[in-house]
Amino acid sequence: MAKNKDISTSGRIVLTTVAHAKNNGMQLNKDITRLVRVGTAPVLLEHIQVSLTIKRKEKTSVYVLDHGANRTNFTGLKKIQKPCYEIVYE
């Protein structure tokens, strides 16, 4: 989102939808206070279901982003379990 703009006036918004994330093989101690093993890629994500309504008059495009915030080949609001979306208002 652009500086000094809110959801109602920004031209683009990045939406993330992740509940929990950890590296593959990552381990914490019993008290869950210290990292014992960092683990490796891929990052394991717990997806959450979100319903979002933003009332805007402009044409809206939704892009699915990869972990580097790059647009993927997926577009629209299909049931795709990805953690990052870019919402663009034209």
Side-chain angles (χ1 to χ4, degrees):
M1 198 160 57
K3 272 188 173 183
N4 302 321
K5 292 194 175 187
D6 59 22
I7 288 176
S8 66
T9 58
S10 183
R12 58 190 288 263
I13 300 166
V14 174
L15 173 68
T16 59
T17 58
V18 176
H20 295 95
K22 69 177 188 174
N23 288 337
N24 190 29
M26 187 173 105
Q27 289 183 344
L28 300 171
N29 66 356
K30 290 180 184 179
D31 297 329
I32 313 175
T33 57
R34 292 187 187 266
L35 183 63
V36 175
R37 185 167 32 175
V38 175
T40 61
V43 177
L44 307 173
L45 304 172
E46 177 185 352
H47 297 282
I48 59 174
Q49 185 174 353
V50 174
S51 176
L52 176 68
T53 302
I54 302 173
K55 294 181 180 182
R56 300 269 303 251
K57 293 181 181 180
E58 302 93 336
K59 178 183 173 192
T60 305
S61 299
V62 177
Y63 301 93
V64 178
L65 304 179
D66 64 16
H67 294 294
N70 301 300
R71 290 181 183 173
T72 67
N73 292 331
F74 299 106
T75 59
L77 292 175
K78 301 172 188 169
K79 288 193 173 190
I80 301 170
Q81 290 190 344
K82 296 288 181 182
C84 250
Y85 302 87
E86 178 185 17
I87 304 168
V88 179
Y89 297 100
E90 301 171 15

